[in-house]
Amino acid sequence: MTDHYSSQSGSRHDPLSLNTCLLLIVIFFLSIGSSDTLAQEHGFKFGEITYKDLNMRVYEPDTSASAVVLNEFGDASVQRDERTELVFDYHVRIKILKQQGIEQANITILTYRQDNSTEEVRDIRASSYNIENSAIKQTKLEQKGIFTSKVNENYEEKRFAIPNVRVGSIIEIQYRTKSPFLFNFHNWEFQSEIPKVYSEYWATIPANFKYNISIRGYLKLDKDEGEVLQDCYSVGSAKADCGRYKWGIKNIPAFREEAYMTARSNYLSVIRFELSEIKYFDGKVDKYTKEWKDAEQELKLSSRFGVQLKRGKAIVDDHVELLVAGENDQHVKAQKIYDFIKGWYQWDRNYNKYSELGIKEAFDKRKGNVGDINLSLIAALRYGGIKAEPVLLSTRNNGLPTDVHPVLSDFNYVIARVDIAGKSYLLDATDDFMPFGVIPQRCLNGKGRVLGEKESYWYDLVPSEKSRFVTMMNVKLDLDGSLKGTLNTSFFGYDAIDERTKIARAGSVEAYIKEFASIHQALEITSFKVENADDLNKPLIRNLEVQITNGDNMDADQFLFNPFVTGRMEENKLKSTDRLYPVDFAAPIDQSFILTLEYPEAFGPVDLPKTVALSLPNAGGRYIFDVKVFGNKLTLNSKLSINRAVFSANEYHYLRELFANMVSIQQNDFYFRKK
């Protein structure tokens, strides 16, 4: 286990005993018993390898696993020798099951340095174990096989490869790190890309040190214990008690990223520590965790944030005056300013809550990061007389922000919030195709922090639009096997944004249609028309006249036809049998496909699929598939509605079954033959 450290180091004062000081635990509370003695032997012994483990060929709970952690133990503590430092001991034993698993034998330990202080890695032991001539052979890592290299100004890494590793081997690694950076108590990830039979972590913290301790993830702890160790920490003649915490989980599944997930960090089962406070025996107290009022003040005074919000007049004076002159309608005024800022800037694709260039320079260059553009938007709205507030957020690929206390580094994005006639709107001017009051899907991640005029507060980041399209196909089948007719699709909400983005990337409507045709090669597009490409307040409509060659699917007596020539669900993206994590679509989904097919009177359909109506619990959504025949015309209606953006793990099976039925239905051909 290694950790990336921030640039903030611990204090150089010596902490003293405060036996009555309680450790602050934010997310959960441990009942702590008492103990008169120090901890007994813990962890597991190096080198105690069994034939049973060496003879394992597959890990039954996960037969796809390339390797499995047989045992893992970590022990972190605050200790005092010549100085106060964090000590972390790590020990792991891994069984290699497949060729891919051999990568587990390549080890990297990252260490941090700042100024004249640095982390140290000590006591590295590593071995491989194999059965040779019916005996267990141990091959040890030699010290000359350990290499140290510089990563950058603040990081070094130690690298080594455990020798004699092959499929069937067991490898074992043990080492200790010592760190002067008290701010960075070692976090612990229970999950990794391979499964684990058992993982356990101990933390020993003197009463002088307050850490916010949080558990994230979806796995249940099998061990959750605590005890008090008397006089475990001393500075000179002064002593302090320590709290010792023990956590463990059995049978940990491998973490695998799946469809419809946000950042990996939102789901991993992990224990995190954040230094809140250190008390010293001279009475000095260092506080590390801010209150929101402190964070708000920091942002207001920041030259790259709060100062920029006061520069609306400097950047948009003449433009805004012309835009809103004589306009009394607040909504129209806000819309004009939003459209102006959005059209003025080119986003450089960089995320940041801070202005990189300063909004004056960014405005002159007509280019900037998220902070440059959206802080300009807020400044311009305020100058135009619109109440606008910045909203800090963390994007979907960045993870959820800590919500119990401010950690400004958790936020990598800023948008605007405006209130007009009692209604709130969220605005992001980085995307040319984002309508007023709609924010990109990348921003739909839990809650944002609104920096209000008097105080800040959390605000739910919920989608104001759906991902929605309606496709209507009217075709006539001729005896030569070809179908001719129209294929018209109307895109709404996020689907309209996506299609407009595709047109812009293609460079023209013609190129966009050509790309569409290259993907749907069964379609020959004889003419096309795209409506409302530039009107963001209307659906984008793609009208196609098409010819579809059925080819080999037709002979003199019968033919096959799959009606889902576009928009077909090719596979069920919800592949896992079980899922521990929520399913997050970002926005509700609404997809409709309506077909009218006229076919020769000499033919008739055989064994048409039956009507299907599937519903999700708690009004979560439904799928309807219905086919009707009137004379020599067939009508088909396929409609998927997902009414919520997020579904719990308990609802996963229903979603998976619904999508499985959709895939099955849409893959089947319709069969027609002569009457």
Side-chain angles (χ1 to χ4, degrees):
M1 296 289 295
T2 59
D3 210 6
H4 295 269
Y5 292 92
S6 73
S7 61
Q8 183 172 1
S9 65
S11 170
R12 299 183 186 276
H13 294 272
D14 290 334
L16 181 67
S17 166
L18 288 170
N19 294 348
T20 59
C21 181
L22 298 178
L23 295 172
L24 175 62
I25 299 178
V26 174
I27 302 300
F28 65 99
F29 178 79
L30 291 173
S31 297
I32 301 177
S34 63
S35 173
D36 294 331
T37 60
L38 295 178
Q40 298 177 357
E41 184 78 15
H42 54 272
F44 55 99
K45 291 185 178 181
F46 195 95
E48 291 190 346
I49 308 300
T50 67
Y51 281 96
K52 179 181 178 182
D53 288 337
L54 277 169
N55 286 321
M56 181 194 302
R57 294 293 175 262
V58 67
Y59 180 56
E60 290 299 337
D62 182 357
T63 56
S64 67
S66 62
V68 58
V69 172
L70 301 174
N71 207 341
E72 181 183 47
F73 184 81
D75 187 357
S77 58
V78 179
Q79 295 185 15
R80 176 76 186 184
D81 191 2
E82 295 179 357
R83 63 179 180 178
T84 300
E85 56 191 353
L86 301 177
V87 178
F88 173 67
D89 291 310
Y90 182 65
H91 187 187
V92 67
R93 187 177 294 157
I94 303 172
K95 171 70 178 183
I96 309 301
L97 297 168
K98 297 180 180 180
Q99 188 68 29
Q100 183 183 357
I102 294 177
E103 286 296 317
Q104 299 294 325
N106 298 322
I107 310 299
T108 300
I109 306 171
L110 197 65
T111 57
Y112 179 74
R113 64 166 53 244
Q114 179 184 327
D115 300 327
N116 295 322
S117 298
T118 184
E119 284 186 327
E120 300 176 28
V121 182
R122 300 180 177 181
D123 306 326
I124 296 175
R125 299 173 67 188
S127 293
S128 66
Y129 305 89
N130 296 282
I131 297 178
E132 294 185 9
N133 299 321
S134 301
I136 297 176
K137 179 181 179 181
Q138 178 182 8
T139 306
K140 297 181 179 180
L141 171 73
E142 296 184 6
Q143 291 302 304
K144 66 180 182 181
I146 302 173
F147 304 94
T148 302
S149 60
K150 183 178 179 179
V151 178
N152 54 41
E153 290 301 315
N154 293 111
Y155 288 96
E156 289 185 347
E157 63 181 15
K158 287 191 181 293
R159 294 176 290 104
F160 56 89
I162 302 173
N164 197 23
V165 178
R166 52 185 182 265
V167 175
S169 299
I170 288 176
I171 60 174
E172 191 167 21
I173 307 103
Q174 189 176 53
Y175 61 84
R176 165 173 285 193
T177 64
K178 303 187 78 171
S179 170
F181 306 113
L182 302 179
F183 188 83
N184 296 289
F185 200 91
H186 208 288
N187 298 327
W188 184 260
E189 291 185 357
F190 284 105
Q191 280 182 289
S192 69
E193 73 278 3
I194 61 174
K196 300 179 181 181
V197 177
Y198 188 64
S199 178
E200 185 170 330
Y201 189 50
W202 288 22
T204 304
I205 305 174
N208 314 66
F209 298 82
K210 291 184 179 180
Y211 286 88
N212 297 326
I213 306 174
S214 62
I215 295 182
R216 297 185 180 184
Y218 295 85
L219 298 178
K220 182 181 178 182
L221 290 168
D222 293 297
K223 174 180 280 191
D224 186 358
E225 301 173 0
E227 61 184 347
V228 170
L229 305 180
Q230 293 184 354
D231 298 338
C232 80
Y233 177 82
S234 62
V235 178
S237 61
K239 297 182 183 298
D241 294 345
C242 296
R244 169 164 283 178
Y245 309 95
K246 307 172 185 178
W247 302 280
I249 303 181
K250 302 174 184 177
N251 303 321
I252 302 169
F255 181 84
R256 296 187 177 96
E257 295 194 28
E258 302 179 32
Y260 310 118
M261 292 177 66
T262 54
R264 181 177 185 267
S265 60
N266 291 342
Y267 308 101
L268 272 178
S269 288
V270 59
I271 297 177
R272 299 189 183 279
F273 299 80
E274 183 184 18
L275 183 60
S276 171
E277 178 182 290
I278 301 177
K279 292 189 176 182
Y280 305 94
F281 82 97
D282 60 2
K284 177 179 171 61
V285 177
D286 280 342
K287 290 185 177 291
Y288 293 85
T289 300
K290 299 182 178 73
E291 301 291 337
W292 267 110
K293 60 182 180 181
D294 301 318
E296 293 159 13
Q297 186 68 9
E298 178 183 328
L299 288 166
K300 286 178 182 178
L301 297 176
S302 170
S303 62
R304 297 197 297 149
F305 194 92
V307 172
Q308 300 301 320
L309 295 175
K310 300 176 182 178
R311 306 193 68 189
K313 187 177 189 303
I315 64 167
V316 295
D317 192 0
D318 295 337
H319 300 281
V320 170
E321 289 289 349
L322 292 171
L323 278 174
V324 300
E327 182 59 65
N328 295 319
D329 188 311
Q330 290 285 91
H331 192 283
V332 173
K333 189 186 294 188
Q335 175 85 60
K336 287 183 176 180
I337 294 171
Y338 171 72
D339 288 342
F340 166 71
I341 293 293
K342 187 173 57 169
W344 183 266
Y345 281 99
Q346 178 185 354
W347 178 33
D348 64 10
R349 314 305 296 179
N350 290 315
Y351 296 176
N352 208 321
K353 60 181 173 290
Y354 296 111
S355 172
E356 181 67 26
L357 300 173
I359 62 175
K360 180 65 170 71
E361 183 178 346
F363 189 83
D364 291 341
K365 290 184 175 181
R366 302 190 68 164
K367 186 175 183 178
N369 68 8
V370 168
D372 291 319
I373 296 171
N374 285 334
L375 293 179
S376 295
L377 171 64
I378 296 166
L381 287 166
R382 288 179 174 180
Y383 182 66
I386 307 294
K387 181 182 177 182
E389 299 168 323
V391 183
L392 301 178
L393 61 86
S394 175
T395 53
R396 290 171 66 84
N397 62 357
N398 192 57
L400 293 171
T402 303
D403 60 1
V404 291
H405 52 270
V407 181
L408 291 181
S409 59
D410 283 354
F411 301 96
N412 68 332
Y413 209 96
V414 62
I415 58 174
R417 178 182 181 271
V418 298
D419 285 323
I420 301 173
K423 185 175 180 180
S424 296
Y425 300 88
L426 297 178
L427 306 177
D428 181 349
T430 62
D431 193 315
D432 292 341
F433 307 112
M434 204 62 53
F436 186 90
V438 181
I439 58 175
Q441 289 192 352
R442 60 180 172 266
C443 298
L444 299 174
N445 188 38
K447 298 179 180 181
R449 189 77 180 188
V450 180
L451 300 176
E453 189 174 328
K454 295 182 179 180
E455 62 181 2
S456 65
Y457 55 93
W458 290 106
Y459 190 84
D460 289 331
L461 301 171
V462 295
S464 58
E465 292 284 350
K466 296 181 178 181
S467 294
R468 181 185 171 209
F469 69 79
V470 177
T471 296
M472 302 188 70
M473 183 176 178
N474 291 280
V475 290
K476 180 178 180 180
L477 185 98
D478 292 330
L479 287 171
D480 63 0
S482 65
L483 294 109
K484 297 179 182 179
T486 59
L487 179 64
N488 302 326
T489 304
S490 299
F491 300 95
F492 304 81
Y494 286 108
D495 279 346
I497 294 168
D498 289 345
E499 293 305 309
R500 290 187 171 102
T501 301
K502 290 177 184 178
I503 293 173
R505 288 176 179 169
S508 66
V509 170
E510 290 75 13
Y512 161 73
I513 295 297
K514 186 176 181 180
E515 287 185 6
F516 176 83
S518 68
I519 296 171
H520 302 85
Q521 296 186 4
L523 291 174
E524 180 184 343
I525 300 172
T526 57
S527 68
F528 62 86
K529 180 181 180 183
V530 174
E531 302 178 37
N532 307 326
D534 299 321
D535 191 341
L536 307 187
N537 297 313
K538 294 181 180 179
L540 183 137
I541 302 174
R542 183 181 64 207
N543 298 311
L544 307 175
E545 290 191 8
V546 298
Q547 179 170 320
I548 308 169
T549 302
N550 219 34
D552 295 338
N553 287 337
M554 185 169 183
D555 59 26
D557 298 313
Q558 61 187 9
F559 68 88
L560 298 173
F561 170 62
N562 189 306
F564 293 96
V565 295
T566 181
R568 182 190 309 175
M569 184 178 285
E570 298 289 351
E571 63 175 358
N572 187 355
K573 293 183 179 180
L574 301 179
K575 298 182 183 300
S576 299
T577 305
D578 297 296
R579 181 158 166 159
L580 296 171
Y581 326 110
V583 178
D584 191 327
F585 295 106
I589 297 170
D590 201 325
Q591 300 175 353
S592 295
F593 179 77
I594 302 167
L595 166 73
T596 300
L597 168 65
E598 182 178 350
Y599 50 87
E601 292 185 358
F603 286 84
V606 178
D607 296 329
L608 286 175
K610 297 179 180 179
T611 297
V612 174
L614 301 171
S615 295
L616 297 173
N618 305 315
R622 62 179 183 170
Y623 177 62
I624 294 176
F625 175 82
D626 184 43
V627 180
K628 289 183 171 57
V629 174
F630 302 94
N632 65 324
K633 285 187 177 181
L634 177 147
T635 62
L636 179 153
N637 181 23
S638 173
K639 181 175 177 60
L640 170 67
S641 298
I642 302 295
N643 298 330
R644 304 200 312 268
V646 181
F647 290 78
S648 71
N650 292 332
E651 298 172 300
Y652 173 74
H653 294 286
Y654 301 105
L655 274 171
R656 184 170 183 260
E657 182 180 356
L658 184 145
F659 285 167
N661 276 277
M662 279 188 62
V663 171
S664 176
I665 289 169
Q666 295 183 7
Q667 296 302 315
N668 287 331
D669 293 334
F670 287 10
Y671 174 48
F672 292 79
R673 69 183 178 195
K674 277 190 175 180
K675 295 177 182 177

Coordinates of all heavy atoms in Angstrom, one line a residue, residues 486-542:
T486 N -38.8 6.9 -45.1 CA -38.2 8.0 -44.3 C -37.8 7.5 -43.0 O -38.4 6.6 -42.4 CB -39.2 9.2 -44.2 OG1 -40.4 8.7 -43.5 CG2 -39.5 9.7 -45.5
L487 N -36.7 8.1 -42.5 CA -36.2 7.8 -41.1 C -36.0 9.1 -40.4 O -34.9 9.8 -40.7 CB -35.0 6.9 -41.2 CG -34.3 6.5 -39.9 CD1 -35.2 5.7 -39.0 CD2 -33.0 5.8 -40.1
N488 N -36.9 9.5 -39.6 CA -36.8 10.9 -39.0 C -36.6 10.7 -37.4 O -37.3 10.0 -36.8 CB -38.0 11.7 -39.2 CG -38.3 11.8 -40.7 OD1 -37.3 11.9 -41.5 ND2 -39.6 11.9 -41.1
T489 N -35.6 11.4 -36.9 CA -35.3 11.4 -35.5 C -35.3 12.8 -34.9 O -34.6 13.7 -35.4 CB -34.0 10.7 -35.2 OG1 -34.0 9.4 -35.8 CG2 -33.8 10.5 -33.7
S490 N -36.0 12.9 -33.8 CA -36.0 14.2 -33.0 C -35.2 14.0 -31.8 O -35.5 13.1 -31.0 CB -37.4 14.7 -32.7 OG -38.2 14.9 -33.9
F491 N -34.2 14.8 -31.5 CA -33.4 14.7 -30.3 C -33.7 15.9 -29.4 O -33.8 17.0 -29.8 CB -31.9 14.8 -30.7 CG -31.5 13.7 -31.7 CD1 -31.4 13.9 -33.0 CD2 -31.1 12.5 -31.1 CE1 -31.0 12.9 -33.9 CE2 -30.7 11.4 -32.0 CZ -30.6 11.7 -33.4
F492 N -33.8 15.5 -28.1 CA -34.2 16.5 -27.0 C -33.1 16.4 -25.9 O -32.4 15.4 -25.8 CB -35.5 16.2 -26.4 CG -36.7 16.1 -27.4 CD1 -36.9 14.9 -28.2 CD2 -37.5 17.2 -27.6 CE1 -37.9 14.9 -29.1 CE2 -38.6 17.1 -28.5 CZ -38.8 16.0 -29.3
G493 N -33.1 17.5 -25.1 CA -32.2 17.5 -23.9 C -30.8 17.1 -24.2 O -30.1 17.6 -25.2
Y494 N -30.2 16.2 -23.4 CA -28.8 15.8 -23.6 C -28.5 15.1 -24.9 O -27.4 15.2 -25.4 CB -28.4 15.0 -22.4 CG -28.2 15.8 -21.1 CD1 -29.1 15.7 -20.1 CD2 -27.2 16.7 -21.0 CE1 -29.0 16.4 -18.9 CE2 -27.0 17.5 -19.8 CZ -27.9 17.3 -18.8 OH -27.8 18.1 -17.7
D495 N -29.5 14.4 -25.5 CA -29.3 13.8 -26.8 C -29.1 14.9 -27.8 O -28.3 14.7 -28.8 CB -30.4 12.8 -27.1 CG -30.2 11.5 -26.4 OD1 -29.1 11.2 -25.9 OD2 -31.2 10.7 -26.4
A496 N -29.9 16.0 -27.7 CA -29.8 17.1 -28.7 C -28.4 17.7 -28.6 O -27.7 18.1 -29.6 CB -30.9 18.1 -28.5
I497 N -27.9 17.9 -27.3 CA -26.6 18.5 -27.1 C -25.5 17.6 -27.8 O -24.6 18.1 -28.4 CB -26.3 18.6 -25.6 CG1 -27.3 19.7 -25.0 CG2 -24.9 19.0 -25.4 CD1 -27.3 19.7 -23.5
D498 N -25.7 16.3 -27.6 CA -24.7 15.3 -28.2 C -24.7 15.4 -29.7 O -23.6 15.4 -30.3 CB -25.0 13.9 -27.7 CG -24.7 13.7 -26.2 OD1 -24.0 14.5 -25.6 OD2 -25.2 12.6 -25.7
E499 N -25.8 15.5 -30.3 CA -25.9 15.5 -31.8 C -25.3 16.8 -32.3 O -24.6 16.8 -33.3 CB -27.3 15.3 -32.3 CG -27.9 13.9 -32.0 CD -27.0 12.7 -32.5 OE1 -26.7 12.8 -33.7 OE2 -26.7 11.8 -31.8
R500 N -25.6 17.9 -31.7 CA -25.1 19.2 -32.1 C -23.6 19.2 -32.0 O -22.8 19.7 -32.8 CB -25.7 20.3 -31.3 CG -27.2 20.6 -31.6 CD -27.7 21.8 -31.0 NE -29.1 22.1 -31.5 CZ -30.2 21.9 -30.8 NH1 -30.1 21.3 -29.6 NH2 -31.4 22.2 -31.4
T501 N -23.1 18.5 -30.9 CA -21.6 18.4 -30.8 C -21.0 17.6 -31.9 O -19.9 17.9 -32.4 CB -21.3 17.8 -29.4 OG1 -21.8 18.6 -28.3 CG2 -19.8 17.6 -29.2
K502 N -21.7 16.5 -32.3 CA -21.2 15.7 -33.4 C -21.2 16.5 -34.7 O -20.2 16.3 -35.5 CB -22.1 14.5 -33.6 CG -22.0 13.4 -32.5 CD -23.0 12.3 -32.7 CE -23.0 11.3 -31.6 NZ -24.0 10.2 -31.8
I503 N -22.2 17.3 -34.9 CA -22.2 18.1 -36.1 C -21.0 19.1 -36.1 O -20.3 19.3 -37.1 CB -23.5 18.9 -36.3 CG1 -24.7 18.0 -36.5 CG2 -23.4 19.9 -37.4 CD1 -26.0 18.6 -36.4
A504 N -20.7 19.7 -35.0 CA -19.6 20.7 -34.9 C -18.3 20.0 -35.1 O -17.4 20.5 -35.8 CB -19.7 21.4 -33.5
R505 N -18.1 18.8 -34.5 CA -16.9 18.1 -34.7 C -16.7 17.6 -36.1 O -15.5 17.6 -36.6 CB -16.8 16.9 -33.7 CG -16.7 17.3 -32.3 CD -16.7 16.1 -31.3 NE -16.5 16.5 -29.9 CZ -16.8 15.7 -28.9 NH1 -17.2 14.4 -29.1 NH2 -16.6 16.1 -27.7
A506 N -17.8 17.2 -36.8 CA -17.7 16.8 -38.2 C -17.3 18.0 -39.1 O -16.7 17.8 -40.1 CB -19.0 16.1 -38.6
G507 N -17.7 19.2 -38.7 CA -17.4 20.4 -39.5 C -18.5 20.9 -40.3 O -18.5 22.0 -40.7
S508 N -19.5 20.0 -40.6 CA -20.6 20.4 -41.4 C -21.7 19.4 -41.3 O -21.5 18.3 -40.8 CB -20.3 20.6 -42.9 OG -19.9 19.3 -43.5
V509 N -23.0 19.8 -41.6 CA -24.1 18.8 -41.6 C -23.8 17.7 -42.6 O -24.1 16.5 -42.3 CB -25.4 19.5 -41.9 CG1 -26.5 18.5 -42.2 CG2 -25.8 20.5 -40.8
E510 N -23.2 18.0 -43.7 CA -23.0 17.0 -44.7 C -22.0 15.9 -44.2 O -22.2 14.7 -44.4 CB -22.4 17.6 -46.0 CG -23.4 18.5 -46.8 CD -23.7 19.8 -46.2 OE1 -22.9 20.2 -45.2 OE2 -24.6 20.5 -46.6
A511 N -20.9 16.4 -43.5 CA -20.0 15.5 -43.0 C -20.6 14.7 -41.9 O -20.2 13.5 -41.7 CB -18.7 16.2 -42.5
Y512 N -21.4 15.3 -41.1 CA -22.1 14.6 -40.0 C -23.0 13.4 -40.5 O -23.0 12.3 -40.0 CB -23.0 15.6 -39.2 CG -24.1 15.0 -38.4 CD1 -23.8 14.4 -37.2 CD2 -25.4 15.2 -38.8 CE1 -24.9 13.9 -36.4 CE2 -26.5 14.7 -38.0 CZ -26.2 14.1 -36.8 OH -27.2 13.6 -36.1
I513 N -23.7 13.7 -41.6 CA -24.6 12.7 -42.2 C -23.7 11.6 -42.8 O -24.0 10.4 -42.8 CB -25.5 13.3 -43.3 CG1 -26.5 14.3 -42.7 CG2 -26.2 12.2 -44.1 CD1 -27.5 13.6 -41.7
K514 N -22.6 12.0 -43.4 CA -21.7 11.0 -44.0 C -21.1 10.0 -42.9 O -21.0 8.8 -43.1 CB -20.5 11.7 -44.7 CG -19.6 10.7 -45.4 CD -18.5 11.5 -46.2 CE -17.6 10.5 -47.0 NZ -16.5 11.3 -47.7
E515 N -20.8 10.6 -41.7 CA -20.3 9.7 -40.6 C -21.4 8.8 -40.1 O -21.2 7.7 -39.8 CB -19.8 10.6 -39.5 CG -18.5 11.3 -39.7 CD -18.0 12.1 -38.5 OE1 -18.6 12.0 -37.5 OE2 -17.0 12.8 -38.7
F516 N -22.7 9.3 -40.1 CA -23.8 8.5 -39.7 C -24.0 7.3 -40.6 O -24.2 6.2 -40.2 CB -25.1 9.4 -39.6 CG -26.3 8.6 -39.3 CD1 -26.7 8.3 -38.0 CD2 -27.2 8.2 -40.3 CE1 -27.8 7.6 -37.7 CE2 -28.3 7.5 -40.1 CZ -28.7 7.2 -38.7
A517 N -23.9 7.6 -41.9 CA -24.0 6.6 -43.0 C -22.9 5.5 -42.9 O -23.2 4.3 -43.1 CB -24.1 7.2 -44.3
S518 N -21.7 6.0 -42.5 CA -20.6 5.0 -42.4 C -20.8 4.0 -41.3 O -20.3 2.9 -41.3 CB -19.3 5.7 -42.3 OG -19.2 6.4 -41.0
I519 N -21.5 4.5 -40.2 CA -21.8 3.6 -39.1 C -23.0 2.7 -39.4 O -23.0 1.5 -39.0 CB -22.1 4.4 -37.8 CG1 -20.9 5.3 -37.4 CG2 -22.6 3.5 -36.7 CD1 -21.2 6.3 -36.4
H520 N -24.0 3.2 -40.2 CA -25.2 2.4 -40.5 C -25.1 2.0 -42.0 O -25.8 2.6 -42.8 CB -26.4 3.2 -40.2 CG -26.5 3.6 -38.7 ND1 -25.9 4.7 -38.2 CD2 -27.1 3.0 -37.7 CE1 -26.2 4.8 -37.0 NE2 -26.9 3.8 -36.6
Q521 N -24.2 1.1 -42.3 CA -24.0 0.8 -43.7 C -25.1 0.1 -44.5 O -25.1 0.1 -45.7 CB -22.7 -0.1 -43.8 CG -21.5 0.7 -43.3 CD -20.2 -0.1 -43.5 OE1 -20.2 -1.2 -44.1 NE2 -19.1 0.4 -43.0
A522 N -26.1 -0.4 -43.7 CA -27.2 -1.0 -44.4 C -28.2 0.1 -45.0 O -29.0 -0.2 -45.8 CB -28.0 -1.9 -43.4
L523 N -27.9 1.3 -44.5 CA -28.8 2.5 -45.0 C -28.1 3.2 -46.2 O -26.9 3.5 -46.1 CB -29.0 3.5 -43.9 CG -29.8 3.1 -42.7 CD1 -29.8 4.2 -41.6 CD2 -31.3 2.8 -43.1
E524 N -28.9 3.4 -47.2 CA -28.4 4.3 -48.3 C -29.3 5.6 -48.2 O -30.5 5.5 -48.3 CB -28.6 3.6 -49.7 CG -28.2 4.6 -50.8 CD -28.5 4.0 -52.2 OE1 -28.7 2.7 -52.2 OE2 -28.5 4.7 -53.1
I525 N -28.6 6.6 -47.8 CA -29.3 7.9 -47.6 C -29.4 8.6 -49.0 O -28.4 9.1 -49.5 CB -28.6 8.8 -46.6 CG1 -28.5 8.0 -45.2 CG2 -29.3 10.1 -46.4 CD1 -27.7 8.7 -44.2
T526 N -30.6 8.8 -49.5 CA -30.8 9.4 -50.8 C -31.0 11.0 -50.6 O -30.7 11.7 -51.6 CB -32.0 8.8 -51.5 OG1 -33.2 8.9 -50.6 CG2 -31.8 7.4 -51.8
S527 N -31.5 11.4 -49.5 CA -31.5 12.9 -49.2 C -31.6 13.1 -47.7 O -32.0 12.2 -47.0 CB -32.7 13.5 -49.9 OG -34.0 13.1 -49.4
F528 N -31.3 14.3 -47.3 CA -31.4 14.6 -45.8 C -31.6 16.0 -45.6 O -31.4 16.9 -46.4 CB -30.0 14.2 -45.2 CG -28.8 14.9 -45.7 CD1 -28.5 16.1 -45.1 CD2 -28.1 14.4 -46.7 CE1 -27.4 16.9 -45.6 CE2 -27.0 15.1 -47.1 CZ -26.6 16.4 -46.6
K529 N -32.1 16.3 -44.3 CA -32.3 17.6 -43.9 C -32.2 17.6 -42.3 O -32.7 16.8 -41.7 CB -33.7 18.1 -44.3 CG -34.0 19.6 -43.8 CD -35.4 20.0 -44.3 CE -35.7 21.4 -43.8 NZ -37.1 21.8 -44.2
V530 N -31.4 18.6 -41.8 CA -31.3 18.7 -40.4 C -31.9 20.1 -40.0 O -31.5 21.1 -40.5 CB -29.8 18.7 -39.9 CG1 -29.7 19.0 -38.4 CG2 -29.3 17.3 -40.2
E531 N -32.9 20.0 -39.0 CA -33.5 21.2 -38.6 C -33.1 21.6 -37.2 O -32.8 20.8 -36.4 CB -35.1 21.0 -38.6 CG -35.7 20.6 -39.9 CD -37.2 20.3 -39.8 OE1 -37.8 21.0 -39.0 OE2 -37.6 19.4 -40.5
N532 N -33.1 22.9 -36.9 CA -32.8 23.5 -35.6 C -31.4 23.2 -35.1 O -31.2 23.2 -33.9 CB -33.8 23.0 -34.6 CG -35.3 23.2 -35.0 OD1 -35.6 24.2 -35.7 ND2 -36.1 22.3 -34.6
A533 N -30.5 23.1 -36.0 CA -29.1 22.9 -35.6 C -28.6 24.0 -34.7 O -27.8 23.7 -33.8 CB -28.2 22.6 -36.8
D534 N -29.0 25.2 -34.9 CA -28.5 26.4 -34.2 C -29.5 26.9 -33.2 O -29.1 27.8 -32.4 CB -28.1 27.5 -35.2 CG -27.1 27.1 -36.2 OD1 -26.1 26.4 -35.7 OD2 -27.2 27.4 -37.4
D535 N -30.7 26.4 -33.1 CA -31.7 26.9 -32.1 C -31.7 25.9 -31.0 O -32.3 24.8 -31.0 CB -33.0 27.0 -32.8 CG -34.1 27.7 -31.9 OD1 -33.8 27.8 -30.7 OD2 -35.1 28.2 -32.4
L536 N -31.0 26.3 -29.9 CA -30.8 25.4 -28.8 C -32.1 25.2 -28.0 O -32.2 24.2 -27.1 CB -29.7 25.9 -27.8 CG -28.4 26.2 -28.5 CD1 -27.3 26.5 -27.4 CD2 -27.9 25.0 -29.3
N537 N -33.1 26.0 -28.2 CA -34.3 25.9 -27.4 C -35.3 25.0 -28.1 O -36.4 24.8 -27.6 CB -35.0 27.3 -27.2 CG -34.1 28.2 -26.4 OD1 -33.6 27.8 -25.4 ND2 -33.9 29.4 -26.9
K538 N -34.9 24.4 -29.3 CA -35.8 23.5 -30.0 C -35.1 22.1 -30.2 O -33.9 22.1 -30.1 CB -36.2 24.1 -31.4 CG -37.0 25.3 -31.3 CD -37.4 25.8 -32.7 CE -38.3 27.0 -32.6 NZ -38.6 27.5 -34.0
P539 N -35.9 21.1 -30.4 CA -35.2 19.8 -30.6 C -34.5 19.8 -31.9 O -34.9 20.5 -32.9 CB -36.4 18.8 -30.7 CG -37.6 19.6 -31.0 CD -37.4 21.0 -30.4
L540 N -33.4 19.1 -32.0 CA -32.7 18.9 -33.3 C -33.4 17.8 -34.0 O -33.6 16.7 -33.4 CB -31.2 18.6 -33.0 CG -30.4 18.4 -34.3 CD1 -29.0 19.1 -34.1 CD2 -30.1 17.0 -34.7
I541 N -33.7 18.0 -35.3 CA -34.5 17.0 -36.0 C -33.6 16.6 -37.2 O -33.2 17.4 -38.0 CB -35.8 17.6 -36.5 CG1 -36.6 18.0 -35.2 CG2 -36.6 16.5 -37.3 CD1 -37.9 18.7 -35.6
R542 N -33.4 15.3 -37.4 CA -32.7 14.7 -38.5 C -33.7 14.0 -39.4 O -34.2 12.9 -39.0 CB -31.6 13.8 -38.0 CG -30.7 13.2 -39.1 CD -29.7 12.3 -38.5 NE -30.3 11.1 -37.9 CZ -29.7 10.5 -36.9 NH1 -28.6 10.8 -36.4 NH2 -30.4 9.4 -36.4

